[in-house]
């Protein structure tokens, strides 16, 4: 988990990096498409930061690790519905 944590921060920063460009476009001319694009990017950024516990929100990485059910993630996969494929 710690090995990929940097990518979550990079994604959040990259997403936030487009906000000034979109705001600048809105200052130039307001259209429904530009407003929707801005709202969409802000919603993605908020979801990403909130759900991934980035920048210390919701207790940071420690609470993310506590809230994760590792046994469910790490258990071995089972065949789909016990079906047998005849060959």
């Amino acid at each position: 988990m710690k090995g990929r944590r940097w990518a979550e921060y990079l994604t959040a920063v990259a997403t936030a990096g487009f906000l000034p460009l979109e705001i600048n476009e809105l200052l130039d001319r307001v259209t429904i498409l530009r407003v929707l694009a801005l709202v969409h990017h802000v919603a993605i950024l908020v979801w990403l930061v909130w759900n991934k516990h980035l920048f210390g929100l919701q207790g940071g990485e420690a609470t993310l690790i506590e809230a994760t059910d590792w046994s469910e993630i790490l258990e071995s996969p089972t065949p789909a519905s016990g079906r047998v494929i005849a060959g």
Side-chain angles (χ1 to χ4, degrees), residues 12-75:
V13 170
T15 302
F18 286 106
L19 294 179
L21 298 172
E22 292 183 15
I23 292 170
N24 187 36
E25 289 294 320
L26 274 175
L27 292 175
D28 180 40
R29 191 176 82 211
V30 177
T31 66
I32 189 69
L33 186 60
R34 290 178 180 177
V35 170
L36 290 175
L38 178 63
V39 169
H40 182 255
H41 278 114
V42 168
I44 289 173
L45 183 60
V46 168
W47 178 88
L48 181 65
V49 170
W50 187 261
N51 285 321
K52 295 297 183 176
H53 300 256
L54 300 178
F55 305 106
L57 290 181
Q58 295 190 36
E61 183 179 9
T63 57
L64 177 64
I65 291 171
E66 288 176 15
T68 303
D69 184 7
W70 294 105
S71 62
E72 182 181 332
I73 293 172
L74 297 175
E75 76 181 19

